[in-house]
Amino acid sequence: MTDLAIIGGSGFTRLQELEITRRQVIHTPYGEPSAPITHGIFKNREIAFLPRHGTAHTIPPHKVNYRANIWALKHIGARQILAIAAVGGIGSEMAPGVIAIPDQIIDYTYGRDHTYFEHDLSQVTHIDFTYPYSEKIRQQLMMAAKTTNIPVVANGVYGATQGPRLETAMEINRMERDGCTLVGMTGMPETALARELGLDYACCAVVANWAAGKGDGPISMKEIEEHIGRGMEQIIALIEALVESLEK
Ligand code: HPA
């Protein structure tokens, strides 16, 4: 049974080590997911994979159909989601190349379809979102980091911005005052939608660049891509260790 699903972010449109068994096209009441769901065997365990930005990385963060993606993963029977995301580093501990496992979120996005509780409600529903990420998966990721000797920052406040443009230096200053240590464009509403459907969800973030105004000069896509490329090897090792630990 496919219990664990991985949502791949920028630079992670496929999981090379996955022995693919089938691809499943799913139509949801919320429209089409970013791509067919890839099912396969990874470290002797059946898992599912969905590239958030589409198979060819053509869907920008504000156009991702988050509701369809999360609905599709629930539909195939996933109960746990590990989301991979490239982010900018705001906190001094979040230098490019760092891998962080955030524990909080602040949502700065707007105009995105952000809830399943909209129409035909028999009652108004407010999910608890005090702790947005699954502590169980976060702890499993930390254990995976220990076994693989991969240094990770065990917490972080993910500020989710609208994009697709990067932020201004002042926006980052404001986010820092709010308490954000990371900035990315896809954390919301994805995380909240997973909670609405009762799925355990955690994020593994690769810091690709210093956030605006925190490094020297403008942010280049080349820099971002280089750090993501290097970070992904570590992410794959972490996923391997995580999946092996789930089997026990
Ligand atoms: N800001 C927002 N999203 C990002 C960044 C950033 O600096 N880097 C990678 N994703």
Side-chain angles (χ1 to χ4, degrees):
M1 143 130 187
T2 304
D3 190 66
L4 174 70
I6 293 167
I7 300 180
S10 294
F12 201 31
T13 49
R14 68 200 178 102
L15 187 54
Q16 236 162 18
E17 293 69 12
L18 185 67
E19 247 177 76
I20 299 171
T21 49
R22 71 194 164 106
R23 289 203 168 81
Q24 186 180 9
V25 175
I26 296 180
H27 306 289
T28 86
Y30 303 95
E32 306 308 302
S34 299
I37 310 259
T38 307
H39 294 267
I41 308 289
F42 187 81
K43 290 274 153 189
N44 294 322
R45 199 187 160 98
E46 209 180 309
I47 67 165
F49 180 80
L50 177 62
R52 182 186 292 115
H53 300 284
T55 312
H57 203 278
T58 48
I59 310 170
H62 63 297
K63 290 289 184 191
V64 170
N65 190 338
Y66 296 97
R67 288 197 300 186
N69 285 353
I70 298 295
W71 193 96
L73 294 178
K74 169 97 178 177
H75 181 73
I76 60 156
R79 288 186 300 181
Q80 313 187 67
I81 298 180
L82 175 62
I84 311 299
V87 296
I90 300 176
S92 56
E93 73 284 24
M94 301 298 190
V98 162
I99 293 178
I101 305 166
D103 60 337
Q104 276 294 332
I105 299 184
I106 300 180
D107 187 6
Y108 301 90
T109 66
Y110 48 86
R112 300 183 180 189
D113 288 327
H114 65 287
T115 180
Y116 295 107
F117 299 125
E118 247 180 359
H119 301 298
D120 306 324
L121 300 179
S122 55
Q123 63 180 78
V124 176
T125 305
H126 303 283
I127 53 153
D128 175 76
F129 204 45
T130 313
Y131 300 104
Y133 295 107
S134 159
E135 195 51 33
K136 190 178 103 202
I137 307 181
R138 280 184 13 85
Q139 292 301 331
Q140 286 167 341
L141 279 168
M142 254 94 87
M143 282 304 295
K146 241 190 206 156
T147 7
T148 49
N149 250 333
I150 293 174
V152 297
V153 177
N155 44 40
V157 180
Y158 181 123
T161 56
Q162 178 67 359
R165 68 165 175 84
L166 294 162
E167 298 71 34
T168 66
M170 251 322 157
E171 285 169 336
I172 293 297
N173 280 352
R174 185 184 71 155
M175 291 175 73
E176 186 170 31
R177 287 197 301 277
D178 285 351
C180 297
T181 58
L182 301 166
V183 55
M185 298 175 190
T186 56
M188 287 295 283
E190 191 173 273
T191 313
L193 291 167
R195 179 66 55 86
E196 283 192 351
L197 293 191
L199 302 170
D200 275 347
Y201 176 106
C203 170
C204 201
V206 183
V207 182
N209 56 282
W210 282 116
K214 294 287 173 192
D216 308 324
I219 300 166
S220 79
M221 282 312 292
K222 186 166 167 274
E223 168 197 4
I224 291 186
E225 279 159 17
E226 276 172 12
H227 281 114
I228 292 178
R230 261 179 259 145
M232 282 312 149
E233 281 169 36
Q234 296 189 311
I235 293 282
I236 286 166
L238 278 177
I239 298 174
E240 282 178 0
L242 174 79
V243 168
E244 277 177 339
S245 79
L246 294 180
E247 255 184 339
K248 281 174 201 151

